[in-house]
Coordinates of all heavy atoms in Angstrom, one line a residue:
Chain A
K140 N 40.0 29.0 24.4 CA 40.9 27.9 24.0 C 40.7 26.5 24.6 O 40.6 25.5 24.0 CB 42.3 28.4 24.3 CG 43.4 28.1 23.2 CD 44.6 28.9 23.4 CE 45.7 27.9 24.0 NZ 47.0 28.4 23.7
R144 N 39.3 23.1 23.2 CA 40.1 22.0 23.3 C 39.2 20.8 23.7 O 39.4 19.7 23.3 CB 41.2 22.2 24.2 CG 42.1 21.1 24.4 CD 43.3 21.3 25.3 NE 43.9 20.0 25.7 CZ 44.3 19.5 26.8 NH1 44.2 20.4 27.8 NH2 44.7 18.4 26.9
H149 N 36.3 18.0 16.5 CA 37.5 18.3 15.7 C 37.5 17.4 14.5 O 38.5 17.1 14.0 CB 38.7 18.0 16.5 CG 38.9 18.9 17.7 ND1 39.3 20.2 17.5 CD2 38.7 18.7 19.0 CE1 39.4 20.8 18.8 NE2 39.0 19.9 19.7
E152 N 39.9 18.7 11.7 CA 41.2 18.5 12.0 C 41.6 17.0 11.8 O 42.7 16.7 11.2 CB 41.6 18.9 13.5 CG 41.8 20.3 13.6 CD 40.6 21.2 13.8 OE1 39.5 20.6 14.1 OE2 40.7 22.3 13.8
W153 N 40.7 16.1 12.2 CA 41.1 14.8 12.1 C 41.0 14.3 10.6 O 41.8 13.5 10.2 CB 40.0 13.9 12.8 CG 40.4 13.8 14.3 CD1 39.7 14.5 15.3 CD2 41.5 13.0 15.0 NE1 40.3 14.1 16.5 CE2 41.3 13.3 16.3 CE3 42.5 12.1 14.4 CZ2 42.1 12.7 17.2 CZ3 43.2 11.6 15.4 CH2 43.1 11.8 16.7
L155 N 41.8 16.3 8.0 CA 43.1 16.7 7.5 C 44.2 15.8 8.0 O 45.2 15.6 7.2 CB 43.3 18.2 7.8 CG 42.5 19.2 7.0 CD1 42.7 20.6 7.5 CD2 42.9 19.1 5.5
F156 N 44.3 15.5 9.2 CA 45.2 14.5 9.7 C 45.3 13.3 8.9 O 46.4 12.7 8.5 CB 45.0 14.1 11.2 CG 45.8 13.2 11.8 CD1 47.2 13.4 12.0 CD2 45.3 11.9 12.1 CE1 48.0 12.5 12.7 CE2 46.1 11.0 12.7 CZ 47.4 11.3 13.0
W159 N 47.1 14.0 5.7 CA 48.6 14.0 5.8 C 49.1 12.6 6.0 O 50.2 12.3 5.5 CB 49.0 14.8 7.1 CG 48.6 16.2 7.2 CD1 48.1 16.8 8.4 CD2 48.4 17.1 6.2 NE1 47.8 18.1 8.2 CE2 48.0 18.3 6.8 CE3 48.7 17.1 4.8 CZ2 47.7 19.5 6.1 CZ3 48.4 18.4 4.2 CH2 48.0 19.5 4.7
P162 N 50.5 9.9 2.6 CA 51.9 9.5 2.1 C 52.6 8.5 3.0 O 53.4 7.7 2.6 CB 52.5 10.8 2.0 CG 51.7 11.9 2.5 CD 50.4 11.3 2.8
S163 N 52.2 8.7 4.3 CA 53.0 7.8 5.3 C 52.5 6.4 5.3 O 53.2 5.5 5.6 CB 52.9 8.3 6.7 OG 53.9 9.1 7.0
I164 N 51.2 6.2 5.1 CA 50.7 5.0 5.3 C 50.2 4.3 4.0 O 50.4 3.1 3.7 CB 49.5 4.9 6.3 CG1 50.1 5.4 7.7 CG2 48.8 3.7 6.5 CD1 49.2 5.1 8.8
P167 N 53.1 3.6 1.0 CA 53.9 2.4 1.2 C 53.0 1.1 0.9 O 53.4 0.1 0.3 CB 54.4 2.4 2.6 CG 54.3 3.8 3.1 CD 53.2 4.3 2.3
Y168 N 51.8 1.1 1.4 CA 50.9 0.0 1.2 C 50.6 -0.3 -0.2 O 50.7 -1.4 -0.7 CB 49.7 0.1 2.1 CG 48.7 -1.1 2.0 CD1 49.2 -2.3 2.2 CD2 47.5 -1.0 1.5 CE1 48.4 -3.5 2.1 CE2 46.6 -2.1 1.4 CZ 47.1 -3.3 1.8 OH 46.3 -4.3 1.7
L170 N 52.3 0.6 -2.8 CA 53.7 0.1 -3.5 C 53.8 -1.4 -3.1 O 54.2 -2.1 -4.0 CB 54.8 0.9 -3.0 CG 54.8 2.3 -3.6 CD1 56.0 3.0 -2.9 CD2 55.0 2.4 -5.0
Y171 N 53.7 -1.7 -1.8 CA 53.9 -3.2 -1.5 C 52.9 -4.0 -2.2 O 53.2 -5.0 -2.6 CB 53.8 -3.2 0.1 CG 53.7 -4.6 0.6 CD1 54.9 -5.3 0.7 CD2 52.5 -5.1 0.9 CE1 54.8 -6.7 1.2 CE2 52.4 -6.4 1.4 CZ 53.5 -7.2 1.5 OH 53.4 -8.5 2.0
S174 N 53.6 -4.5 -5.9 CA 54.7 -5.4 -6.0 C 54.3 -6.9 -5.7 O 54.7 -7.8 -6.4 CB 55.9 -4.9 -5.2 OG 56.9 -5.8 -5.3
K175 N 53.6 -7.0 -4.6 CA 53.3 -8.3 -4.2 C 52.5 -9.0 -5.2 O 52.6 -10.2 -5.6 CB 52.6 -8.2 -2.8 CG 51.9 -9.5 -2.4 CD 51.2 -9.3 -1.0 CE 50.0 -10.3 -1.0 NZ 49.3 -10.1 0.2
Y178 N 54.2 -10.1 -8.4 CA 55.0 -11.3 -8.4 C 54.3 -12.6 -8.0 O 54.6 -13.7 -8.4 CB 56.2 -11.0 -7.5 CG 57.2 -10.2 -8.2 CD1 57.2 -8.8 -7.8 CD2 58.0 -10.5 -9.3 CE1 58.0 -7.9 -8.6 CE2 58.7 -9.6 -10.0 CZ 58.8 -8.3 -9.6 OH 59.6 -7.4 -10.4
K181 N 52.7 -13.5 -11.2 CA 53.7 -14.2 -12.1 C 53.9 -15.6 -11.7 O 54.0 -16.5 -12.6 CB 55.0 -13.4 -12.1 CG 55.1 -12.2 -12.9 CD 56.3 -12.0 -13.7 CE 56.2 -11.3 -15.0 NZ 56.0 -9.8 -14.8
Chain C
F37 N 58.8 12.4 8.7 CA 57.3 12.8 8.2 C 56.3 12.4 9.2 O 55.4 13.1 9.6 CB 57.2 12.3 6.8 CG 55.9 12.9 6.2 CD1 55.8 14.1 5.6 CD2 54.8 12.1 6.1 CE1 54.8 14.6 5.1 CE2 53.6 12.5 5.5 CZ 53.7 13.8 4.9
I41 N 53.6 14.7 11.6 CA 52.2 14.8 11.4 C 51.5 15.0 12.7 O 50.6 15.9 12.7 CB 51.6 13.5 10.7 CG1 52.2 13.2 9.4 CG2 50.1 13.5 10.7 CD1 51.8 11.9 8.7
W44 N 50.6 18.6 13.9 CA 49.3 19.2 13.4 C 48.1 19.0 14.3 O 47.3 19.7 14.7 CB 49.0 18.6 12.0 CG 47.5 18.8 11.6 CD1 46.5 18.0 11.6 CD2 47.0 20.0 11.0 NE1 45.3 18.4 11.2 CE2 45.6 19.8 10.7 CE3 47.5 21.2 10.7 CZ2 44.7 20.7 10.2 CZ3 46.6 22.2 10.1 CH2 45.3 21.9 9.9
R48 N 46.2 21.7 16.6 CA 44.7 22.0 16.4 C 43.8 21.5 17.5 O 42.9 22.2 17.9 CB 44.2 21.5 15.0 CG 44.8 22.3 13.9 CD 44.5 23.8 14.1 NE 44.9 24.5 12.9 CZ 44.1 24.8 12.0 NH1 42.9 24.3 12.0 NH2 44.4 25.6 10.9
V49 N 44.1 20.4 17.8 CA 43.1 19.7 18.9 C 43.5 20.0 20.2 O 42.7 20.4 21.1 CB 43.0 18.2 18.6 CG1 42.1 17.6 19.6 CG2 42.7 17.9 17.2
H50 N 44.7 19.9 20.6 CA 45.2 20.3 21.9 C 45.5 21.7 22.1 O 45.8 22.2 23.3 CB 46.4 19.5 22.4 CG 46.1 18.0 22.6 ND1 45.3 17.6 23.6 CD2 46.4 16.9 21.9 CE1 45.2 16.3 23.7 NE2 45.8 15.8 22.6
Q51 N 45.4 22.5 21.0 CA 45.6 24.0 21.1 C 46.9 24.3 21.6 O 47.0 25.2 22.4 CB 44.5 24.6 21.9 CG 43.0 24.3 21.6 CD 42.5 25.0 20.4 OE1 42.7 26.3 20.3 NE2 41.8 24.4 19.5
R91 N 58.8 -14.5 -2.9 CA 58.6 -14.0 -4.2 C 59.5 -14.7 -5.2 O 59.6 -14.3 -6.4 CB 59.1 -12.4 -4.2 CG 58.3 -11.6 -3.2 CD 56.9 -11.3 -3.8 NE 56.2 -10.5 -2.8 CZ 55.3 -11.1 -2.0 NH1 55.0 -12.3 -2.1 NH2 54.7 -10.3 -1.1
G94 N 57.9 -16.0 -8.4 CA 57.4 -14.9 -9.3 C 58.6 -14.2 -10.0 O 58.5 -13.9 -11.2
E98 N 59.6 -13.9 -13.9 CA 59.8 -12.6 -14.7 C 61.2 -12.7 -15.5 O 61.2 -12.3 -16.6 CB 59.8 -11.5 -13.7 CG 59.9 -10.2 -14.3 CD 60.5 -9.1 -13.3 OE1 61.4 -9.3 -12.5 OE2 59.8 -8.0 -13.3
R124 N 67.7 -9.8 -8.6 CA 66.4 -9.2 -8.8 C 65.5 -9.5 -7.6 O 64.8 -8.6 -7.0 CB 65.7 -9.9 -10.0 CG 64.3 -9.1 -10.3 CD 64.5 -8.0 -11.1 NE 63.1 -7.4 -11.5 CZ 62.7 -6.1 -11.1 NH1 63.6 -5.4 -10.5 NH2 61.5 -5.7 -11.3
I128 N 63.7 -6.8 -5.2 CA 62.3 -6.7 -4.9 C 62.0 -6.9 -3.4 O 61.3 -6.2 -2.8 CB 61.6 -7.9 -5.6 CG1 61.6 -7.7 -7.1 CG2 60.1 -7.9 -5.2 CD1 61.0 -6.4 -7.7
E132 N 60.0 -4.3 -1.2 CA 58.8 -4.6 -0.5 C 58.9 -4.6 1.1 O 58.1 -4.2 1.7 CB 58.4 -6.1 -0.9 CG 57.6 -6.1 -2.2 CD 57.0 -7.3 -2.6 OE1 56.6 -8.1 -1.6 OE2 56.7 -7.6 -3.7
Q135 N 58.8 -1.2 2.3 CA 57.4 -0.6 2.3 C 56.6 -1.2 3.4 O 55.8 -0.5 4.1 CB 56.7 -0.9 0.9 CG 57.5 -0.5 -0.3 CD 57.8 1.0 -0.4 OE1 57.1 1.7 0.3 NE2 58.5 1.5 -1.4
F139 N 54.9 0.8 6.5 CA 53.5 0.8 6.7 C 53.2 0.2 8.1 O 52.3 0.8 8.8 CB 52.9 -0.1 5.6 CG 51.5 -0.4 5.5 CD1 50.6 0.7 5.9 CD2 50.9 -1.6 5.3 CE1 49.2 0.5 5.9 CE2 49.5 -1.8 5.3 CZ 48.6 -0.7 5.6
N142 N 54.4 2.7 11.0 CA 53.7 3.9 11.0 C 52.3 3.7 11.6 O 51.8 4.4 12.5 CB 53.6 4.5 9.6 CG 54.8 5.2 9.1 OD1 55.7 5.4 10.0 ND2 54.8 5.6 8.0
F154 N 44.9 10.8 23.2 CA 43.4 11.2 23.2 C 42.6 10.3 24.2 O 41.4 10.5 24.3 CB 42.7 11.2 21.9 CG 43.4 12.3 21.1 CD1 44.5 11.9 20.2 CD2 42.9 13.6 21.1 CE1 45.0 13.0 19.5 CE2 43.4 14.5 20.3 CZ 44.4 14.3 19.5
K158 N 44.5 12.1 28.1 CA 43.6 13.3 27.6 C 43.6 14.4 28.6 O 43.6 15.5 28.2 CB 42.2 12.7 27.4 CG 41.3 13.6 26.7 CD 40.1 12.9 26.2 CE 38.9 13.5 26.8 NZ 37.6 13.1 26.0
Y160 N 45.7 15.3 30.9 CA 46.9 15.9 31.4 C 47.3 17.2 30.5 O 46.7 17.5 29.6 CB 48.1 14.9 31.2 CG 48.0 13.8 32.2 CD1 47.0 12.8 32.1 CD2 48.9 13.6 33.3 CE1 46.8 11.7 33.0 CE2 48.8 12.5 34.2 CZ 47.9 11.6 34.0 OH 47.7 10.6 34.9

Side-chain angles (χ1 to χ4, degrees):
Chain A
K140 219 167 100 153
R144 182 182 163 218
H149 295 287
E152 275 86 13
W153 281 103
L155 283 173
F156 175 71
W159 304 143
S163 261
I164 298 195
Y168 182 52
L170 291 172
Y171 169 78
S174 172
K175 168 181 153 186
Y178 289 100
K181 280 223 155 70
Chain C
F37 191 75
I41 295 173
W44 163 263
R48 286 311 185 86
V49 180
H50 287 293
Q51 308 276 317
R91 306 282 176 259
E98 188 200 42
R124 185 86 179 122
I128 297 294
E132 277 195 24
Q135 308 297 353
F139 181 37
N142 285 352
F154 293 96
K158 189 164 124 161
Y160 288 70

